Amino acid sequence: SQQGEEDPQALSIQEGENATMNCSYKTSINNLQWYRQNSGRGLVHLILIRSNEREKHSGRLRVTLDTSKKSSSLLITASRAADTASYFCATAGMPSNTGKLIFGQGTTLQVKP
Amino acid sequence: DGGITQSPKYLFRKEGQNVTLSCEQNLNHDAMYWYRQDPGQGLRLIYYSQIVNDFQKGDIAEGYSVSREKKESFPLTVTSAQKNPTAFYLCASTPPAGWNTEAFFGQGTRLTVV
């Protein structure tokens, strides 16, 4: 079963602009993670935010988590053409110590040079 | 280099055949997972294993089987009972305390029924 929805499904921006993607989920979580997937490749982990954290930064990435609204957002600042990829949120649910992840459907980001 | 290796990259299956996808990791991770990805969709969990000789069904286990005889290896067999096997298959692993750590993914195997 899929945990939730990602919004928008597709996003097209110019290089240098910021990109914001949103993720909603349904059940209580231990953490929420964001992954990136280039076309036809595996997933690469970007950032993990725990349920007791509200915001986290990594380079040009900023992730927020609102557990009361069961939602998260990923902001990519000063985007580059190389950021073109699909981005997925994934949740590790509670109670669970299995490492299982439930994925959203993803946002496809296109950054135009 | 440590990582997860999936093979083959592309696989073609005839109707009624069983095929096995390979997944090997040298990260010394305890837990391993198989996910299926359909076009334009997120990943769905097929099977997972937290320890050698033990594994559990995920959300879409029907038509699939796995084994975990070695810590490094977690092969997935797509059986003839899987009615719609054409998809992209991804293997992943997590270190101990996997519930609060990132997952590491292989590069995937694209399976096509011909």
Side-chain angles (χ1 to χ4, degrees):
Chain A
S1 60
Q2 308 235 248
Q3 171 70 292
E5 301 294 326
E6 291 189 56
D7 171 56
Q9 289 189 332
L11 182 60
S12 181
I13 60 175
Q14 295 294 134
E15 211 167 23
E17 293 180 340
N18 295 343
T20 299
M21 296 160 236
N22 302 296
C23 168
S24 62
Y25 58 91
K26 297 175 183 174
T27 60
S28 297
I29 61 171
N30 275 314
N31 65 68
L32 186 144
Q33 304 178 31
W34 285 90
Y35 288 83
R36 165 194 169 127
Q37 183 181 37
N38 287 82
S39 181
R41 305 297 296 273
L43 274 68
V44 175
H45 182 262
L46 296 175
I47 199 163
L48 181 153
I49 185 165
R50 292 180 168 77
S51 59
N52 60 352
E53 297 175 314
R54 292 298 166 256
E55 188 171 311
K56 203 161 185 180
H57 297 256
S58 176
R60 293 184 296 114
L61 306 180
R62 172 179 171 253
V63 168
T64 61
L65 178 64
D66 187 335
T67 53
S68 66
K69 295 181 179 178
K70 292 187 169 57
S71 67
S72 174
S73 67
L74 170 67
L75 168 68
I76 304 174
T77 60
S79 63
R80 306 166 181 168
D83 294 328
T84 294
S86 293
Y87 292 82
F88 294 91
C89 68
T91 54
M94 294 178 65
S96 173
N97 63 350
T98 63
K100 294 189 299 180
L101 294 173
I102 301 176
F103 285 83
Q105 295 176 313
T107 294
T108 300
L109 173 66
Q110 181 185 29
V111 182
K112 300 175 184 176
Chain B
D1 283 336
I4 299 180
T5 301
Q6 290 187 240
S7 63
K9 188 172 182 180
Y10 299 97
L11 188 56
F12 297 90
R13 190 193 95 167
K14 293 183 180 178
E15 295 281 351
Q17 272 187 339
N18 292 353
V19 290
T20 297
L21 285 60
S22 171
C23 177
E24 303 276 334
Q25 55 101 356
N26 61 3
L27 299 167
N28 200 32
H29 288 173
D30 291 313
M32 297 185 73
Y33 312 81
W34 275 105
Y35 291 92
R36 169 181 171 141
Q37 185 178 30
D38 291 287
Q41 300 294 314
L43 281 64
R44 291 181 292 168
L45 183 65
I46 304 173
Y47 267 99
Y48 66 103
S49 167
Q50 293 183 275
I51 196 169
V52 174
N53 293 323
D54 188 46
F55 48 83
Q56 284 77 39
K57 294 181 179 179
D59 298 319
I60 56 165
E62 185 175 353
Y64 300 97
S65 66
V66 294
S67 63
R68 187 85 185 278
E69 297 176 1
K70 298 186 300 182
K71 186 176 185 178
E72 301 80 17
S73 178
F74 191 39
L76 173 74
T77 296
V78 184
T79 75
S80 57
Q82 170 50 240
K83 298 306 178 189
N84 184 23
T86 294
F88 191 49
Y89 291 87
L90 287 156
C91 179
S93 69
T94 56
W99 58 274
N100 224 5
T101 65
E102 66 185 271
F104 293 76
F105 282 84
Q107 290 302 302
T109 292
R110 187 166 300 280
L111 174 62
T112 303
V113 174
V114 296

